Structures are given as C-alpha cells and as structure tokens.
Amino acid sequence: MENQPKKQQVPRQKMPEQDPKQRRHNFNEVPLGFSEETAKLEASRCLQCKKPQCVAGCPVEVNIPAFIGLIKKGDYAGAANKIKETNALPAVCGRVCPQEDQCEKNCILTKKGESVGIGRLERFAADYARCHGEISLPQLPPPTGKKVAVVGSGPAGLTCAGDLAKMGHSVTLFEALHLPGGVLVYGIPEFRLPKAIVASEVDYLLKIGVKLEVDCIVGRTRTVDDLFEDGYSAIFLGVGAGLPKFMNIPGENLLGVYSANEYLTRINLMKAYQFPEADTPIIKGKNVIVVGGGNVAMDSVRNALRLGAEKACIVYRRSLEEMPARKEEVHHAEQEGVQFDLLCNPTRVIGNDKGFVSGIEIQKMELGAPDASGRRSPVPIKGSEYVIPADTVVMSLGTNAQPLIAATTKNLGLNKWGYIIADENTGATSKPGVYAGGDIVTGSATVILAMGAGKKAARAMNEYLKTI
Amino acid sequence: MYKILFKKTLAQSIHLMRIEAPQIARKRKAGQFVILRLHDRGERVPLTMTTSDAKEGSISIVFQEVGKTSMELAKMKQGDSILDVAGPLGNPTHIEKIGTVVCIGGGLGVAPVYPIAVAMKEAGNKVISIIGARTKDLLIMEKEMRAASDELLVSTDDGSYGFFGFVSQVLQGLIDKKTPINQVVTIGPVPMMKAVCEVARPHNISTMVSLNPIMVDGTGMCGVCRVTIGGQMKFGCVDGPEFDGFKVDFAELSKRLRSYIEQEKISLDKFKCTQCAAM
C-alpha cells in the first residue's frame, strides 16, 4: 500500500524538444525522445489496470499495459515486440497518433490529472528496438498459397499487408509513387516523422515476405480486374486521398498558390528544400499564408518557416477552439513563431503583373450557431475585407476522393462524393474479394484510423480466403 | 529500373528512346503519357509516349533538351537504366469513326500526334496531317506521319521546307478550299495550339488539344496541373491531358508553365557547370 501514493507523485515526464528558435530553421525532428531513465520513470506511472480502458481506445488494439510493464522492467526490445504483435508501425504511431483523443484519453490517470505518456513510451520502445537492431521477426505460419494484392502503401496498406503476411498469405503491395509509405512519405514532414523510420517499417514488411511494386498505378498500369486475372484472390484498396480542394475564389491559379498536397509533396517526397541538389524546385516564400486549420495546415506552415519564410501565417475561418489540428501541433507552430489570423476567410488571391501572388484579401468572420460538425459555424462580417501581402499561399482545405480506381473498376459501390462504400467492421466492398479502408473510404482522417481499417480488413480477408 | 533499349537523335536536341516497361506497354493507348524520374535526386517529369510494343515490352518517348532533366536524359545511352517510369497516365484519346480528322503536330508535338493519327486511321477515318517546325532541320517523324495519313502537309516557320508559315495557316488553307473536316486534333507549343483553335473556332470544327501543365505525382493527388476549361478547374493528369480546345484558358496555362523559370535556370546552370567540370 505504501507504493501507491508514491507512484502518483511521479509527474508525467516531459519530452525533450529541439529549441524552437533553432528548429524553425532545420528539418530535424522536433521531439527528441525519452532517455531510458525517463522512459522507466514514465512507465512506472502506469497503474496496470485489470480492465485497461486505454486498449479500448486504440484502433489497433495494442496491449498497452503489457508493453509499458516491459519498459518498466527494462526489457525495451520485448516492449517493442509486444507492440509489434498488433501494430505494424509503432515508431510511426508513437509520433503521429492523436493519443490525447484515443488511448491517453481513456487512461484512468487522466481523471486524476495527467495520463500516462503512452505515445511517448511507444515511440521510445520502437526507437530502441530499431536503433539496437532488436526487432525480432515473428514466426510465420505455413504459406496458404493464396495471393493477395494490397493497393496503396500508406498506413492502411502497410498494416493490411503486414497482417496478411503474418497469416501466411503471399502479399504484394502496389504503390503508385516511387517510394512506399503514402502520406507518411509525401505528406508528413521530416521534422515530425523522419523518413528513415518509414523506410525501416517498410523494410520489416519486406523481411516477412511482402513483395513491393512501386511505380504501379492501379487503375492505370493495372486495373483491379487485371489483378484478379493475374491470380490475386483478394484485393485491399487503401489508395488514400485524392485531388485537393480549392476555395473557388478568384486568383487560385496564380503562380505561388499551392495546394497543401503539392507543397508537402514537393518538400517531403521530392526534397525540394534541398534544391538545387535535389531537382524539384519550390518557391521559397518570405511571406507565406496557409489557409486552413488542420494538421496538414500546421505541417505546411511549419515547413514554410523551415524554407526560410520571415512570416508564416495560418488563416482560419473559425477560432482556435474549433481548430481540428492537434493541440500539440498548434503549440509547436506557435512556439516556432507561426502567426494565427483567426476568424478570417480569404475572398480572393491577388497577383502582380507577372502572374505571381502578391497578396490575399481577407474577410473577417464571427461565430454563429453550431453547424453539422457540431462546431460553431463562421459567418462573414460584411464590409470587413482587407488585404494582407503574401508571396506564397497554401490552400489546406482537405481533399476529394482519389478518382482512378473508381473510374476503372466495375461494380465497385461509391457514395455520392466518390468514396468507396465499405463495411465498417470488415472493409468489404460491393465487389466480391475487394476490400477497402483508409481515406478512400472515410475521406481525410488520421493515420491510426486508416491502420485500424487495414487491420479489420486483413482479418476479414483472411476469413474470405478460407472460403475460396 | 527501366532499361533504355534504343536511342536515336531525330533532330538537333530531339531524341527518341525506347524503354523497357512491359506493364506500361501492355496498357498504353494513344494520348497517354508517363512520368519519369532519372535518379534518386531527380524530379518527376511527364513525357508523352509516341508508340509502344507490347511484344517487346517497350514504350517509346520523344523528348527535347530544354531543361536540366531533359539534358540529363539526353546524356543517357542505350543500356543505361532510368530509375522510375510510371504510367500509362492520363485518359486515352477518344477514338471513333467520324469522317475526316486533321491531326496537327508542331515541333515536338508531332511525336504524340503520331499515335493518334494511326488510331484515327485504324478507326476508319480519313486522316489529313499537318506537321510543322521552326526550320527544316527540326522537323521530326515526317516519314512515319506520311505513312499514317491519307495526306500530309508540312510547314516551316522560316520556309526552309514545305509551306512558308505556321501549321495554323495550313489548316486555314484546307478550310478555305472547303475541305470537309469533322475533327481537329492538335498538339504542340501553347501558342500554336491556341492559333489552331482560333482558325477552327469560326467554322465550329471540334478541336481537341493535349495540354502539358507542370505535374508532380501525375496520379490525381497534388493538383499542380490544374487548368481552366470553360471557367472550371480541371486537372491535367486525371481529367486530361486532352480537352476541348475552344474552352481552354491558354494564357493561364502559359503563365503557369513559367512558375519555376528562375529555378529552372539555376538548375540548368548548375548542371552545365558540372558537365564542364567533368570534361
């Protein structure tokens, strides 16, 4: 009994971070990770609940108390392997999951103060195992002889491919771009998720027998029906987000106006920040406006600083409270000197005589009654327009459905926005043998939700494969 | 890796390459393109395909040395490999029997017009082709175009070969002679395509153009290839590359193609420097 109150006295351990003044000029990772001592201390805060609510909050069902228990004992590699049993991408999840809305939200300590730093511990264990080469490969069952195609190598596809391989199926992962990882490589910046980590997670899949084909655009290079003809018995579609949304205001095609997808792809996937050493160029604006309030907007605006912007500003039509971005991301952006123009909405983009952006006209907004999303809706204030100067504008307003699969696959049910209709529990689509999950089903969501969908689909596909 | 099986220079700074890419060769149709990335620091560039050979498992591209990547590609030899080739991208040309089709290619644009002329002819159309270049030495694929067409007309801007003037003027000549035309297909530099559209418009002859906006992924993700078609935002990679020429905002396309003119110069100068140093 003496132990109990002592445990409570250990505060939630802080994550060391790169100094904001320094990091706004480099692409290195911002949080630096726990030391072994800090990790043990943080792990000691876990109450090892008999009925752990945290696990219920995890879309991929990580046995959280078990892995934290292993960290407490100093068995870090064991902890990593424990996570890996159900989560194909622990080093990724430990960094980009919104834990505050999932496992940590359910942690019993949250009610008493601050939750256990589950995400930080997950990251610690995964990093430890990776850096010490201590990721053990699982015992694979005998091959089933069934060929499965996983289309898209983002979080949904990687998870699905890993799980299916562990069930003994022969899995091929098809990627349209030249590198695997999907949004993990083209979207999420290096300073939030180093690309070497994604490469190592993919490498693990290759080691357990997953085959990878890059430069293969399913819908063009091969269709879904071609894959069936080529002997694949089941297909998972995790093709992710599609074309970016724009505002439909004048001036959006001026030079220097980017979609967040393009801006991030140039920087993250194509390494435009290393131009001219890397061939892909990007406009390194001094005065950058990012329109939107999601995580992608935060990623864009923080990249802008790192490209050398003197002023990088978020323009968002609601207030900080309604902002969909994670609090931690907003906080990091603020620390780095990002400005926030809230309750503001662009009405047009203004250009110079050469066709480049020179400014943006903003209209002030006020909050009205809650809308369908439950958030108070922004209402324009008439006559409040003013112009702010800008040489780069990034539109971060979400995406539409990826169009290629839908256009080239027969009998695949879509909803009115073009997203694939898939069963919530199994990922099954209207086309037999075809499963889907991630952003192509839900629209823009999170890495972990996509992973959860990939996991459920793998389970259902395994059952399906037994029947044929 | 995608091996270069064959390379030939067609005209000054214009080259043809046959590249091993069996999956793309199996699917390619007239009007489609590929995205190339030469090496791991390379950019992704869209290039149109001129032919493919499903049996050999190869595709052919024709390109002109204009910037760093195309010059670097031109330095590559038969037997070398390109790191990434993805495709076939874009919608294939809509091919149907409609009567007489005039296929117009300017400069490098002759290469992608060629497979369209072939397909239009195969579909049972009468094909009149007009090809042009700045000067005789830059004219490409004349023999192939002649074989693919019922009639071939040639022009050069400087009068060194064929008609002295532009391909649009040759089209005007056909219209003046009351030649019945059901469809025009034109590919080439933006001002040329625009000029062709302006010739066809008063006679209401349907004119299809193939646009070459800047692209990054080419698969419908990044949105840089947006073009304005009849006042609507469309994406070159998935909605195109072919559009109704009468509806295209060519002025905007021209401007957007110049987005990185400064950076392209930096990149090219740096490349030329390393080339000099290597010699």
Side-chain angles (χ1 to χ4, degrees), chain A residues 234-282:
Chain A
I235 298 168
F236 176 76
L237 302 174
V239 295
L243 286 159
K245 287 180 185 163
F246 286 89
M247 296 188 74
N248 220 357
I249 57 172
E252 282 185 293
N253 289 352
L254 286 164
L255 313 187
V257 180
Y258 290 92
S259 74
N261 270 8
E262 183 196 348
Y263 195 64
L264 293 174
T265 300
R266 283 183 182 272
I267 299 169
N268 301 327
L269 177 72
M270 306 309 297
K271 306 276 176 256
Y273 60 91
Q274 295 169 350
F275 179 86
E277 271 66 44
D279 288 342
T280 304
I282 192 158

Side-chain angles (χ1 to χ4, degrees), chain A residues 176-179 186 213-217 220-223 226 230 241-244 246 252-259 261-262 265-266 269-271 274-284 353-356 399 401-404, chain B residues 2 23-24 26-27 32 37 39 41-44 68-69 72 83-92 214-217 219-224 226-228 233 235 237-240 252 255-260 263-264 266-267 270:
Chain A
L177 293 172
H178 54 265
L179 280 180
Y186 77 72
E213 251 189 62
V214 294
D215 296 333
C216 181
I217 304 106
R220 292 278 191 224
T221 317
R222 292 165 152 204
T223 63
D226 289 340
D230 292 343
L243 286 159
F246 286 89
E252 282 185 293
N253 289 352
L254 286 164
L255 313 187
V257 180
Y258 290 92
S259 74
N261 270 8
E262 183 196 348
T265 300
R266 283 183 182 272
L269 177 72
M270 306 309 297
K271 306 276 176 256
Q274 295 169 350
F275 179 86
E277 271 66 44
D279 288 342
T280 304
I282 192 158
I283 296 171
K284 294 181 177 174
D353 53 353
K354 283 181 182 158
F356 281 88
T399 54
Q402 202 268 13
L404 287 181
Chain B
Y2 300 80
Q23 293 201 40
I24 304 174
R26 192 168 78 159
K27 285 277 169 183
Q32 292 186 297
R37 195 175 72 118
H39 47 73
R41 307 193 76 74
E43 58 184 336
R44 292 172 66 94
K68 193 244 178 186
T69 298
E72 212 174 357
L83 186 55
D84 296 287
V85 180
L89 295 164
N91 295 309
I214 293 174
M215 291 187 190
V216 182
D217 69 295
T219 66
M221 188 271 280
C222 85
V224 61
R226 56 194 189 272
V227 286
T228 302
M233 186 186 287
F235 297 94
C237 70
V238 290
D239 297 324
E252 182 187 87
K255 267 191 193 150
R256 286 187 64 78
L257 283 168
R258 296 171 60 85
S259 294
Y260 293 102
Q263 289 88 341
E264 280 162 13
I266 293 169
S267 199
K270 183 171 172 285

